[in-house]
Amino acid sequence: MSSPDTEELATTPPPAERNAPAATEGGRFWRGLTGSLAAGMAVLAVCVVAIATICLFTGAPGPGLLMLIGHPVAAVLALLAQRVVDGRTGRVAGFAGLGVVVSVTAALSLFWWS
């Protein structure tokens, strides 16, 4: 009980996605690395804000205002750049990934490694 429609569907390959970036081995590594850095920066920003909130209620000294502003800003910049890395290919994705690395490195060097 097959109809002409089902026979055509069975023999026709599905259409390829137009916007799917071609995943090379180096590109996959770069996307994974920058994605991990962006996610780690977001988690760090949430932790800094949570610790500052706890310190506010307990009266303990906590992170300063610069840390409370800098971490979320760096996390947002890294996550926005990572969206570009995930959605594009070529130089645009490479430079956006470099933006993720620079954002995370700047936040860590300014607030933690100094």
Side-chain angles (χ1 to χ4, degrees):
M1 289 188 51
S2 62
S3 69
D5 292 335
T6 56
E7 288 177 12
E8 181 183 348
L9 288 174
T11 59
T12 305
E17 293 184 35
R18 291 184 185 175
N19 296 331
T24 63
E25 191 63 35
R28 194 174 311 150
F29 173 78
W30 183 243
R31 288 175 204 277
L33 176 67
T34 58
S36 298
L37 289 173
M41 190 68 227
V43 169
L44 182 61
V46 168
C47 289
V48 167
V49 171
I51 289 170
T53 304
I54 292 170
C55 289
L56 179 68
F57 290 117
T58 61
L65 185 62
L66 189 60
M67 277 187 115
L68 285 174
I69 294 171
H71 280 82
V73 167
V76 166
L77 289 175
L79 290 172
L80 289 175
Q82 183 60 34
R83 281 186 55 114
V84 175
V85 172
D86 288 338
R88 302 288 296 268
T89 58
R91 288 186 183 188
V92 174
F95 284 126
L98 187 62
V100 171
V101 172
V102 167
S103 174
V104 171
T105 303
L108 290 177
S109 65
L110 289 173
F111 302 124
W112 293 95
W113 295 332
S114 60

